[in-house]
């Protein structure tokens, strides 16, 4: 069995949904099809919620546009008979959504919990439309199957419970095609509607593929495959035929928008291949992601993750070093901060790179942890530098191309760009460094040229 995930652009228009129908109906089955909200709808659901929060009825026009888009799409892809049956289901979901907006507008208040409920309607409705469009398909309610728990103020998948529920619901294979919404879930303790984070439909599909031991996870999108760089920045970027789980994970963690990063781990763990395919060009071979590296490319790609922050703990190198480092990691992990990179000791400071949003909480956690050392001047201070980008060059063959680092370094100097901090020790398959955010695109372009010509 296979798991196929179709992203927002794939389910975004009547024409693209026609392609989805052809692709899915061509399968021998059984398969689980995971869908995103119609392209752009999640953003619209959020923007309309913010508008409703301002009070009054000015949000109503945007809400009506959301309703019209769903009805028009359903009417465009379903037979007259199927539309007649489905229309009341869609209308009922939209009525509930309208009630939520009304409540937000009356209270002029929008909690995270309400917003999570509002955004869930994108996938709740798109999955109904797709399930009715495909012959021999059955709809499954993902919030009853995908469960989250609270962790440092975030919702994260409860992988164990979700695994059990996926097996119970999809494991019997008593369907030809199962269709469910990606992204959406429920809290295991209070049953609130939650989600797996923006872009999370990929992750839903990966959890299902891993639990069912699928033969393949297919991610259907709007590009021909994984590319060596973002083609909007690098015109000469190439589609890769193959890459490894580790390469895709590193590139996605550092800014490649192809797959939501948490997606890769569950399937990697079970060694289930991922294929990146183009709904608009289904005959293209796509990119196959497995655990084997069989090519000779010096690197697989160059990416930049914008909005990073660098934290320097000054004076940390003087005292008992490993103890300070352990305490840094522990304090950050208690705060739920994910460390993206560790930079080598420069002078007497030790530096880390985190997501921009984590910068201030991370500094506060470190200032708390080291309050005694800071007041006795054993540590000089915790410094935060924002608006940076982490550039990553990734490839299994970097292990065998020791001079590539030098080539990359030279290309950066030649372009007059500046590396603020370089990472070390993280991985043999990645060279990464931090630049000013305004230099990110130029650095990606220069480094791509140096590697691929
Ligand atoms: N619809 C959600 C989003 O736009 C999830 C997804 O498409 O993966 O973030
Ligand atoms: Mg996506």
């Amino acid at each position: 069995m296979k798991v196929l995930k179709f992203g927002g652009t794939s389910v975004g228009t009547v024409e693209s949904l026609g392609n989805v129908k052809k692709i899915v109906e061509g399968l021998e089955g059984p398969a689980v099809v995971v869908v995103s909200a119609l392209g752009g709808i999640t953003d619209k659901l959020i923007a309309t919620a913010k508008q409703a929060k301002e009070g009054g009825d000015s949000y109503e026009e945007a809400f009506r546009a959301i309703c019209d888009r769903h009805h028009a799409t359903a009417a465009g892809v379903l037979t007259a008979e199927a539309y007649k049956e489905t229309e009341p289901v869609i209308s009922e979901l939209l009525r509930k959504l309208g009630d939520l907006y009304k409540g937000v507008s009356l209270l002029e208040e929008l909690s995270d919990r309400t917003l999570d409920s509002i955004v869930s309607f994108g996938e709740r409705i798109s999955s109904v439309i797709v399930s009715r469009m495909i012959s021999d398909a059955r709809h499954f309610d993902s919030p009853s199957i995908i469960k989250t728990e609270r962790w440092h103020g975030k919702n994260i998948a409860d992988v164990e419970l979700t695994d059990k529920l996926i097996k119970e619901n999809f494991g019997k294979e008593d369907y030809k095609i199962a269709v469910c919404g990606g992204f959406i879930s429920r809290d295991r303790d209070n049953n609130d509607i939650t989600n797996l984070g923006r872009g999370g439909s990929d992750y839903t599909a990966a959890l299902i593929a891993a639990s069912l031991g699928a033969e393949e996870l297919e991610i259907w999108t709007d590009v021909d495959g994984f590319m060596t760089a973002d083609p909007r920045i690098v015109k000469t970027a190439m589609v890769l035929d193959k890459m490894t789980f580790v390469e895709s994970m590193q590139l996605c963690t550092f800014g490649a928008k192809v797959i939501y990063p948490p997606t890769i781990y569950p399937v990697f763990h079970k060694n289930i291949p991922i294929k990146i395919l183009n709904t608009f060009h289904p005959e293209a071979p796509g990119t196959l992601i497995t655990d084997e590296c069989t090519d000779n490319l010096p690197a697989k790609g160059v990416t930049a993750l914008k909005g990073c922050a660098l934290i320097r703990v000054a004076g940390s190198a003087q005292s008992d070093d490993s103890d300070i480092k352990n305490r840094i990691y522990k304090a950050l992990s208690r705060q739920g901060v994910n460390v993206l990179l560790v930079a080598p000791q420069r002078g007497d400071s030790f530096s880390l790179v985190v997501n921009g949003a984590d910068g201030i909480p991370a500094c506060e956690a470190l200032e708390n942890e080291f309050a005694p050392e800071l007041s006795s001047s054993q540590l000089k201070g915790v410094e935060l530098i924002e608006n940076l980008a982490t550039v990553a060059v990734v490839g299994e063959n970097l292990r065998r191309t020791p001079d590539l680092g030098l080539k990359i370094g030279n290309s950066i100097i030649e372009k007059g760009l500046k590396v603020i901090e370089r990472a070390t020790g993280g991985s043999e398959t990645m060279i990464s460094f931090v630049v000013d955010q305004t230099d990110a695109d130029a650095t990606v372009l220069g480094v791509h040229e140096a590697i691929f010509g």
Side-chain angles (χ1 to χ4, degrees):
M1 76 105 56
K2 281 185 188 179
V3 176
L4 289 78
K5 181 259 169 176
F6 290 92
T9 44
S10 299
V11 297
T13 64
V14 170
E15 293 71 41
S16 65
L17 279 161
N19 294 0
V20 172
K21 182 173 161 71
K22 251 189 247 150
I23 293 162
V24 177
E25 288 179 354
L27 295 169
E28 277 168 24
V32 179
V33 171
V34 177
V35 293
S36 285
L38 308 190
I41 281 291
T42 309
D43 288 338
K44 293 229 160 70
L45 288 166
I46 296 170
T48 307
K50 291 187 175 154
Q51 213 177 334
K53 190 186 168 210
E54 299 302 311
D57 53 13
S58 69
Y59 74 89
E60 280 178 9
E61 196 184 322
F63 171 58
R64 260 194 306 277
I66 292 173
C67 295
D68 292 348
R69 168 104 182 265
H70 284 101
H71 281 300
T73 306
V77 298
L78 300 180
T79 61
E81 199 186 339
Y83 181 63
K84 211 170 138 209
E85 267 177 41
T86 310
E87 194 276 328
V89 181
I90 298 173
S91 291
E92 177 57 14
L93 287 164
L94 289 168
R95 189 191 60 74
K96 286 186 184 156
L97 173 63
D99 285 351
L100 285 172
Y101 280 140
K102 182 102 228 160
V104 169
S105 141
L106 287 172
L107 295 170
E108 298 186 17
E109 194 178 284
L110 176 63
S111 65
D112 287 348
R113 179 169 173 266
T114 304
L115 186 61
D116 281 351
S117 193
I118 287 172
V119 291
S120 74
F121 282 88
E123 273 75 5
R124 284 160 85 177
I125 305 174
S126 69
S127 60
V128 167
I129 298 175
V130 173
S131 70
R132 307 267 172 139
M133 172 187 81
I134 290 164
S135 47
D136 290 330
R138 206 165 105 201
H139 184 261
F140 285 73
D141 177 53
S142 14
S144 323
I145 303 170
I146 311 294
K147 299 292 169 187
T148 59
E149 58 185 299
R150 294 294 284 175
W151 184 79
H152 293 289
K154 297 174 200 160
N155 297 314
I156 61 158
D158 176 345
V159 176
E160 235 168 85
L161 177 59
T162 299
D163 174 58
K164 181 175 153 265
L165 292 171
I166 289 171
K167 287 184 172 125
E168 277 172 20
N169 281 277
F170 298 111
K172 293 187 284 289
E173 292 191 10
D174 51 356
Y175 49 83
K176 179 167 182 244
I177 304 295
V179 177
C180 66
F183 175 62
I184 48 178
S185 46
R186 275 189 194 275
D187 183 277
R188 66 161 189 210
D189 298 311
N190 61 21
N191 220 31
D192 279 353
I193 283 275
T194 56
N195 61 62
L196 302 176
R198 294 302 308 269
S201 292
D202 295 344
Y203 188 34
T204 306
L207 290 170
I208 297 173
S211 293
L212 300 179
E215 67 188 77
E216 192 168 85
L217 167 62
E218 295 182 355
I219 306 277
W220 288 85
T221 177
D222 54 5
V223 288
D224 276 350
F226 216 114
M227 300 185 82
T228 51
D230 182 338
R232 286 165 303 181
I233 301 169
V234 182
K235 297 275 171 291
T236 54
M238 301 167 289
V239 175
L240 297 159
D241 302 333
K242 280 191 235 162
M243 66 198 304
T244 67
F245 292 117
V246 171
E247 289 168 335
S248 63
M249 194 150 25
Q250 288 177 329
L251 286 169
C252 289
T253 304
F254 289 100
K257 295 267 159 41
V258 188
I259 315 174
Y260 182 51
T263 306
I264 301 154
Y265 186 75
V267 283
F268 176 23
H269 193 60
K270 293 273 175 80
N271 201 7
I272 297 169
I274 307 176
K275 219 178 223 174
I276 311 294
L277 294 155
N278 190 349
T279 303
F280 302 86
H281 188 196
E283 39 322 312
T287 303
L288 178 66
I289 306 173
T290 64
D291 64 350
E292 272 179 313
C293 178
T294 48
D295 61 82
N296 296 315
L297 283 175
K300 291 302 196 319
V302 189
T303 48
L305 180 68
K306 294 182 184 167
C308 291
L310 183 79
I311 296 168
R312 283 205 176 117
V313 185
S316 54
Q318 286 161 350
S319 47
D320 178 0
D321 201 34
S322 69
D323 182 46
I324 295 263
K325 277 186 204 162
N326 282 338
R327 284 172 59 198
I328 291 177
Y329 289 127
K330 280 204 186 125
L332 294 178
S333 105
R334 272 198 305 274
Q335 185 67 35
V337 172
N338 182 18
V339 175
L340 293 169
L341 280 187
V342 181
Q345 240 156 262
R346 178 182 291 186
D348 66 353
S349 54
F350 177 74
S351 307
L352 305 152
V353 179
V354 298
N355 275 316
D358 286 337
I360 292 171
C363 283
E364 283 169 1
L366 294 176
E367 277 159 2
N368 270 333
E369 170 68 26
F370 294 109
E373 287 83 356
L374 287 164
S375 68
S376 71
S377 303
Q378 191 192 338
L379 287 184
K380 291 187 201 145
V382 179
E383 187 192 358
L384 178 68
I385 308 170
E386 294 179 290
N387 299 320
L388 302 177
T390 303
V391 176
V393 179
V394 170
E396 302 272 354
N397 293 331
L398 287 181
R399 303 176 214 267
R400 292 191 265 127
T401 331
D403 52 346
L404 200 67
L406 197 65
K407 207 165 159 188
I408 292 169
N410 287 339
S411 73
I412 292 171
I413 296 167
E414 273 165 31
K415 293 253 159 27
L417 299 162
K418 190 170 146 240
V419 170
I420 293 173
E421 197 79 70
R422 204 168 53 80
T424 48
S427 159
E428 283 186 292
T429 57
M430 178 167 76
I431 296 172
S432 54
F433 47 91
V434 179
V435 298
D436 199 280
Q437 187 162 273
T438 49
D439 286 345
D441 292 355
T443 308
V444 167
L445 188 61
V447 170
H448 191 278
E449 248 169 40
I451 301 172
F452 299 101

